[in-house]
Amino acid sequence: MNDYSTSCIHQLFEHQAKLSPNNIAVIFEGSSLTYAELNDKANQLARLLQNKGVKPETLVGICINRSFDMMIALLAILKAGGAYVPFDPSYPKERLSFIAEDTGINLLLTQSDLIKDLPTLNCELFKLDTDWDQLSNYQKTNIFSHVKAENLAYVIYTSGSTGIPKGVMMQHDSVVNQLEWIVQYLQLSHNDIVLQQTSISFDVSVLELFEGLISGGKLVMAKPDGHRDNLYIIDLIRLQNVTTMHLSPSVLQILMDTSGFDQCVSLRQVCSAGEALPVSIANNFSNRNNASLFNMYGPTEAAVITTSSPINSKLNSNSVPIGKAVNNTKIYILDKNYQLVSEGKIGELYIGGIQVARGYLNRPELTQERFIKGLFNQNEDYRLYKTGDLARYLNDGNLEYLGRVDHQIQLRGNRIEPGEIENRLTQHPDIINALVVLHEGQFNNQYLVAYLISDIKEITNSIKI
């Protein structure tokens, strides 16, 4: 399938806003916005952003707690032609400073109560909660920009093995392909209600934020830090009749262990991704809930999800397959010589197609190393992303994930480079060396453990993360 869309993300939303302007689009803390209200507010903010110089390929920072303002700001940045860069308020100041310096942003959209916790940034701060009156005179009609499908939509920073985070540059066409695929795959419609609980610093939030809105459904946003409260999430699912959720396997297990989850009868489908789905969790879910379960796989460097497998019955195998490739995406299993391995043989998983990122911002050498050109396609723009994941094709055409070729860790939906944590720990003057490893406790409860060598005590200690 090669019917690439030429639309941008915000244009998919604008189309739906035209079809159902008076329908509720977003629900947050007992209040709601219609499609027309959300579109109007985003258009006003987009005009202000353009007046501040935002255009295609302009990076705009956003540091906002989950709220209506967050959704308005994300749409506005895209409408103005720019690309958003998430700044998670919970991140250390040093990481936020690095992201600001690396991206060179001139503007950060934020909220007044977050400013005190931000590092000193060499850019303008626009406070959405107090500066909104500046927008009252701007028109509410859809705004024009010169942005095209091949322009950037966002830059999300991920963990780096050398201790330096790396910004993944994702284009509109990659994300639109993903969104149009998942709407079709999950058969989303105006009847669906999607829960948004993931930080926008993680790419799965892109699906949560936009998949429901481009299909005419509702977006229910959890309160800030609400994702940390299992009882709150379960109550929210039941109160708002949520039909669709995206969860890591470990979070899914925690919810299933929480009182009241069995009463979440509105759930139609749960998408599991971010780490390997254990057979025990898949079977446990199937035994306790009538919702469909999908095991999905994909790195940030390939627009969220690249393969998916429906779990239709009890599994008797040792692992849960990650399924088959999404539309306009191709999976290659290669050996160390970049040759295709035969069916059943283990190799490294490479991803090709429309969803592969442009590369890493300001990291040309790392981009060249991980985004490889000249394999299986002579198009100079065609590149394969080297995932570092081991996999093999099963005889039914599905893929089986088999771990990492390096030391990267997947934990509760996050891809973590132990080297970044070790690098940070050894910056302490009393620590000579550090080793970070993944441990697994009871009931698939995984956690990180850091082993430290201290110059003062001359002994090895460990701390649980």
Side-chain angles (χ1 to χ4, degrees), residues 239-259:
L239 177 65
Q240 298 294 346
N241 294 312
V242 170
T243 67
T244 305
M245 295 180 67
H246 293 264
L247 299 168
S248 66
S250 52
V251 174
L252 176 58
Q253 179 65 65
I254 292 171
L255 284 181
M256 287 194 294
D257 291 340
T258 303
S259 175

Side-chain angles (χ1 to χ4, degrees), residues 433-435 449-454 457-463:
N433 208 343
L435 174 67
V449 172
Y451 294 92
L452 311 176
I453 298 178
S454 170
K457 297 183 179 180
E458 296 182 351
I459 59 173
T460 301
N461 294 322
S462 69
I463 59 173

Side-chain angles (χ1 to χ4, degrees), residues 36-87:
E37 290 170 335
L38 177 57
N39 195 43
D40 290 350
K41 290 178 180 294
N43 283 327
Q44 287 181 301
L45 180 56
R47 284 186 164 82
L48 179 139
L49 296 180
Q50 283 193 342
N51 285 348
K52 292 180 178 293
V54 176
K55 58 185 184 299
E57 302 297 309
T58 300
L59 302 183
V60 181
I62 175 170
C63 183
I64 300 178
N65 280 322
R66 198 174 294 112
S67 59
F68 288 141
D69 285 345
M70 186 183 82
M71 192 69 242
I72 293 167
L74 290 172
L75 279 170
I77 293 170
L78 299 175
K79 281 171 171 281
Y84 69 87
V85 182
F87 285 66

Side-chain angles (χ1 to χ4, degrees), residues 260-397:
F261 182 76
D262 291 344
Q263 280 73 56
C264 295
V265 295
S266 63
L267 277 179
R268 186 167 74 84
Q269 52 215 357
V270 172
C271 302
S272 175
E275 60 193 20
L277 175 64
V279 172
S280 59
I281 294 179
N283 286 339
N284 188 11
F285 179 87
S286 299
N287 291 335
R288 295 177 52 183
N289 199 291
N290 291 324
S292 298
L293 178 64
F294 298 91
N295 186 31
M296 296 180 169
Y297 162 88
T300 303
E301 290 86 347
V304 194
I305 300 298
T306 49
T307 71
S308 180
S309 174
I311 312 301
N312 297 318
S313 58
K314 182 178 179 179
L315 296 168
N316 297 312
S317 56
N318 294 323
S319 65
V320 183
I322 58 173
K324 299 178 180 179
V326 308
N327 293 348
N328 301 313
T329 301
K330 189 170 179 58
I331 303 297
Y332 303 83
I333 308 298
L334 307 181
D335 62 19
K336 293 181 179 180
N337 297 315
Y338 301 114
Q339 299 299 307
L340 291 167
V341 303
S342 57
E343 180 185 293
K345 297 295 183 180
I346 299 174
E348 186 173 352
L349 192 154
Y350 290 71
I351 302 169
I354 188 67
Q355 291 190 188
V356 175
R358 185 186 294 181
Y360 298 118
L361 182 66
N362 299 328
R363 304 287 291 277
E365 292 182 358
L366 184 60
T367 295
Q368 186 176 11
E369 175 187 330
R370 300 300 294 269
F371 295 85
I372 301 173
K373 296 183 178 181
L375 293 177
F376 310 111
N377 192 313
Q378 298 306 310
N379 184 331
E380 62 178 16
D381 294 325
Y382 190 83
R383 55 205 179 279
L384 300 186
Y385 173 63
K386 176 182 171 69
T387 67
D389 291 326
L390 294 172
R392 64 180 173 184
Y393 272 108
L394 303 174
N395 55 19
D396 60 0

